[in-house]
Amino acid sequence: MGQFVIDIFVFIVAILLIIIVMLQSSKDDINDAFNGSKSELTKNQKTRGIELFMQRSTAVLAIIFIALVITSWVLHTVY
């Protein structure tokens, strides 16, 4: 029973992680794709506000996702 609960949590966290990553704005420009460099004005800018929240929540969700997948794997292997 515990295996399936963990699997549901893995699914939910995976969906949340996909949504958070898709909501993040890209800092790359089409010009950067061709010349390979970033503008001097935006290269060293710190992220603030919602961007900082999105980066941190992505990292936290990724760590939770990895931990849940490993836990699920162990539970399915043992039982």
Side-chain angles (χ1 to χ4, degrees):
M1 178 71 181
Q3 302 161 343
F4 301 111
V5 174
I6 295 291
D7 291 341
I8 291 171
F9 283 132
V10 167
F11 180 74
I12 292 170
V13 170
I15 297 298
L16 288 174
L17 189 59
I18 290 170
I19 291 170
I20 292 284
V21 169
M22 288 179 64
L23 287 175
Q24 291 181 6
S25 63
S26 176
K27 296 179 185 174
D28 293 333
D29 192 8
I30 191 68
N31 296 330
D32 296 337
F34 294 111
N35 64 14
S37 65
K38 286 209 170 264
S39 164
E40 289 297 321
L41 295 174
T42 61
K43 190 187 324 183
N44 295 324
Q45 265 186 342
K46 287 186 177 181
T47 56
R48 294 187 175 134
I50 192 71
E51 292 175 359
L52 182 62
F53 173 75
M54 297 291 256
Q55 282 184 351
R56 288 182 179 170
S57 57
T58 301
V60 168
L61 281 175
I63 292 169
I64 291 172
F65 178 75
I66 292 169
L68 285 174
V69 167
I70 291 172
T71 305
S72 175
W73 175 71
V74 167
L75 286 177
H76 284 285
T77 303
V78 172
Y79 296 110

